[in-house]
Amino acid sequence: TNPRNPRHLGRWPLRLSRDTACCMTWDRDYLPAIGLGITQIMGYGVLYYAYAILLPKMAEPLGLTLSGIFGVLSLALFLGGLMSPVAGILTDRHGGRFVMTGGALFAGLATMTLALVEGRVGLFISILAIEAAAMFVLYPVAFAAVARLHLSVSPQRSITVITLFGGVASTIFWPLTLALYGAVDWRSAWLILGMAYLVICVPIHWLSLSGPERDTSAPKQDTDEDWPELTGAERRRGMFWMVTSFMFSGYLMGGVMTLWVTNVQDLGHTAAMAALAGAVIGPFKTVGRFLELLISRNLYPLITYMLALGLMFTGFLTILAAGFTVPGIILAAALYGMGDGIKTIARGTLPLALFGHKGYGARLGWINSASMAANASAPFAFAYLTQEFGGWISFAAMTAILGVAILFSFFIPDARKAQRSPAHDPA
């Protein structure tokens, strides 16, 4: 680990011993990640998880079926995801401060427009605006933004800290949104959520990302993990299989985030129990991420990713076998939450380990765009399965898709082994 850079020591007004100053610098360099972690709670809670509660309530007043309203969401997700590469490129060129602050301002205002929709077209325009803005404020841009900052904390460690906070988004926002809907109508709920997002996220983005930035064109920094990058044909093969596996594992995200409550209700649970089980996911995301934080110095991100998929798969098998019972659905939520929490970290650290810092923001943007383009149909597809065949079949389809993601993860090259192979041996 990097001995703390002396450039930090002058920031503190008191004369301190070197050891004490180092510890305080260490704490201070975590502040950007902590700030972005708070905004990820708001971002995923308002811009994604709230749909699971409010969209089903909006369907009948807007003259839409359950699959119809989630079809509108799917189309908006697809088109909104096209902005992800733009957000990544802008972050690489200009840093995350302006990108994420502007994105937060637009996202909050767009969310408030959902309070005004009267039909299918208005709903589509509002959600499209929200999801386009979301590409500038959620994990991919947050990871790229903090990786650009010149800190004594490694990018992987900062990414883990960000996701530690973001993991409780479902825990907070599924029950909160349900309670908010119970207190006011869905129009007022969207208005309140949009205003809260503006007030909290805009100033935090501006303040958290104000520090100096690293030169990403320079050789690897001494804070980076000592992982070789893929080269040549292995690099192209790694990108293909990584993105393909990401697409399949990410396909679940749209379904779980938007249909968890509906599907769990269909298994025979009440809405309150479904929301409670969903709330369990968040703390166990944090548990998984905390465990990853403890072992991440020695755990290669490819192994982290495969471990995450295994935990998620076990969670879905538990749903299929025992999801009709309260202990079963709680255990399933805990296992899925741990796996999904670790997977989010791996989606940021694995591309960094395999392909390096240069162009990291744009690379995450393209990966996210490809994933969202492929996965945008998930809310509609799983809503259709739920509507026609029930929640158990919908969960079974999610399990099968996750199994494909696990299979493809075995084809991702390990850059450490590739570097030691004869093809890469200088002798």
Side-chain angles (χ1 to χ4, degrees):
T1 305
N2 177 28
R4 310 308 173 190
N5 193 319
R7 68 183 175 84
H8 296 292
L9 302 182
R11 296 178 181 176
W12 300 97
L14 300 177
R15 294 190 65 182
L16 304 167
S17 71
R18 182 175 176 80
D19 289 341
T20 305
C22 289
C23 291
M24 294 186 73
T25 300
W26 183 88
D27 289 338
R28 188 176 185 180
D29 280 354
Y30 274 100
L31 291 178
I34 292 171
L36 293 183
I38 293 170
T39 67
Q40 296 311 294
I41 296 174
M42 292 297 299
Y44 280 96
V46 173
L47 308 180
Y48 277 101
Y49 284 115
Y51 291 137
I53 303 298
L54 296 179
L55 283 188
K57 311 299 183 184
M58 297 165 64
E60 185 176 349
L62 297 180
L64 297 168
T65 63
L66 179 67
S67 60
I69 200 163
F70 280 107
V72 172
L73 174 62
S74 290
L75 183 58
L77 285 171
F78 171 75
L79 295 175
L82 299 178
M83 294 301 295
S84 191
V86 177
I89 291 169
L90 289 175
T91 303
D92 279 340
R93 291 181 179 177
H94 306 292
R97 191 184 194 193
F98 290 98
V99 171
M100 296 195 74
T101 302
L105 178 62
F106 192 84
L109 293 173
T111 299
M112 293 167 68
T113 66
L114 281 172
L116 306 175
V117 299
E118 297 292 345
R120 186 191 307 261
V121 174
L123 178 68
F124 170 73
I125 293 172
S126 289
I127 297 180
L128 176 60
I130 292 168
E131 296 313 312
M135 298 303 100
F136 293 80
V137 295
L138 297 181
Y139 278 146
V141 170
F143 295 164
V146 79
R148 278 187 59 93
L149 294 179
H150 192 18
L151 305 171
S152 62
V153 180
S154 73
Q156 178 180 353
R157 190 54 57 96
S158 292
I159 288 171
T160 301
V161 171
I162 291 171
T163 60
L164 277 172
F165 284 81
V168 300
S170 62
T171 305
I172 295 172
F173 275 88
W174 272 337
L176 176 63
T177 307
L178 189 62
L180 191 58
Y181 174 76
V184 297
D185 61 8
W186 59 264
R187 294 185 185 277
S188 298
W190 282 122
L191 187 64
I192 293 168
L193 290 172
M195 291 177 64
Y197 185 84
L198 277 175
V199 170
I200 294 172
C201 294
V202 171
I204 291 181
H205 283 158
W206 183 254
L207 296 173
S208 295
L209 297 170
S210 60
E213 297 181 350
R214 72 169 73 207
D215 180 5
T216 57
S217 64
K220 281 193 172 185
Q221 307 291 319
D222 57 2
T223 56
D224 293 340
E225 308 296 346
D226 187 21
W227 292 320
E229 297 175 19
L230 290 173
T231 58
E234 289 289 285
R235 190 178 181 91
R236 293 188 293 272
R237 188 165 73 90
M239 179 62 74
F240 175 80
W241 288 114
M242 183 187 69
V243 172
T244 303
S245 183
F246 280 4
M247 285 181 179
F248 278 89
S249 65
Y251 200 81
L252 307 177
M253 181 180 175
V256 172
M257 289 177 106
T258 55
L259 283 162
W260 173 271
V261 174
T262 302
N263 280 0
V264 172
Q265 281 185 265
D266 199 63
L267 294 180
H269 299 284
T270 64
M273 185 64 236
L276 175 62
V280 168
I281 294 174
F284 278 89
K285 283 186 180 183
T286 302
V287 169
R289 289 163 181 171
F290 182 72
L291 292 175
E292 195 278 344
L293 181 66
L294 294 179
I295 63 176
S296 61
R297 288 185 182 276
N298 300 315
L299 197 62
Y300 189 57
L302 180 56
I303 306 302
T304 304
Y305 178 60
M306 297 173 77
L307 172 64
L309 296 186
L311 285 168
M312 293 169 66
F313 191 73
T314 304
F316 275 105
L317 289 179
T318 304
I319 291 176
L320 300 182
F324 301 98
T325 68
V326 171
I329 199 64
I330 295 296
L331 176 61
L335 290 168
Y336 170 80
M338 286 183 65
D340 190 55
I342 297 172
K343 185 197 75 173
T344 303
I345 299 172
R347 285 179 66 97
T349 59
L350 184 56
L352 192 62
L354 295 180
F355 308 106
H357 276 283
K358 189 173 182 180
Y360 177 59
R363 187 175 298 112
L364 283 187
W366 285 111
I367 291 171
N368 190 52
S369 181
S371 297
M372 292 198 67
N375 302 342
S377 65
F380 170 76
F382 291 123
Y384 177 80
L385 289 174
T386 301
Q387 181 176 289
E388 297 297 324
F389 305 105
W392 191 91
I393 294 296
S394 183
F395 278 134
M398 294 181 192
T399 307
I401 290 169
L402 186 55
V404 175
I406 293 172
L407 175 63
F408 288 158
S409 71
F410 284 95
F411 294 99
I412 302 172
D414 186 326
R416 300 168 301 171
K417 295 177 182 178
Q419 190 183 54
R420 294 193 298 266
S421 68
H424 294 81
D425 190 343

